[in-house]
Amino acid sequence: MAREGLPVRIATSALGVTESGYFTWRSRPPSARSVRHSRLTEVISAIHAASHGTYGYRRIHEELTSRHGIAVSHGTVQLLMRRAGIRGLSVGKRRPTRPTPSRFPA
């Protein structure tokens, strides 16, 4: 809000936080989780691009654990893909095919 031209005092009172708390939060370094998530998102994006956009979270998880040796859960991969707007291609349910009758009997 403060970056959009709203004074800090009004923004902090609207959010119910103190001004000193806002400035402390703003100067705090990123957490270990956010750093790890940003690195994982980069690797996930690279794997997804290498698969020509076909891999979903299950295959990407498999690539991360087996090929890259990164220990990560399915849920984390799914969350990071959703946040980054990355989706795999779904193969719709195939209808069972019936044999077509031959047009010309032998």
Side-chain angles (χ1 to χ4, degrees), residues 61-72:
H61 175 263
E62 178 65 29
E63 286 278 324
L64 286 171
T65 56
S66 65
R67 189 171 293 182
H68 296 276
I70 299 173
V72 64

Side-chain angles (χ1 to χ4, degrees), residues 3 19-30:
R3 289 183 182 159
E19 288 182 51
S20 62
Y22 165 74
F23 287 111
T24 303
W25 168 80
R26 195 175 76 173
S27 63
R28 187 178 303 146

Side-chain angles (χ1 to χ4, degrees), residues 92-98:
K93 291 184 178 179
R94 299 175 100 191
R95 296 191 313 166
T97 58
R98 293 185 297 179

Side-chain angles (χ1 to χ4, degrees), residues 2-86:
R3 289 183 182 159
E4 297 170 357
L6 191 65
V8 173
R9 179 168 288 160
I10 294 172
T12 55
S13 67
L15 295 172
V17 296
T18 62
E19 288 182 51
S20 62
Y22 165 74
F23 287 111
T24 303
W25 168 80
R26 195 175 76 173
S27 63
R28 187 178 303 146
S31 67
R33 179 184 293 167
S34 65
V35 170
R36 182 171 191 259
H37 281 188
S38 65
R39 288 182 182 157
L40 277 173
T41 303
E42 291 173 7
V43 175
I44 288 170
S45 298
I47 293 171
H48 190 261
S51 74
H52 303 291
T54 58
Y55 282 8
Y57 78 92
R58 289 182 181 98
R59 283 188 178 173
I60 289 180
H61 175 263
E62 178 65 29
E63 286 278 324
L64 286 171
T65 56
S66 65
R67 189 171 293 182
H68 296 276
I70 299 173
V72 64
S73 70
H74 284 283
T76 302
V77 174
Q78 193 174 18
L79 171 80
L80 294 177
M81 286 180 68
R82 189 180 325 116
R83 285 182 181 171
I86 300 171

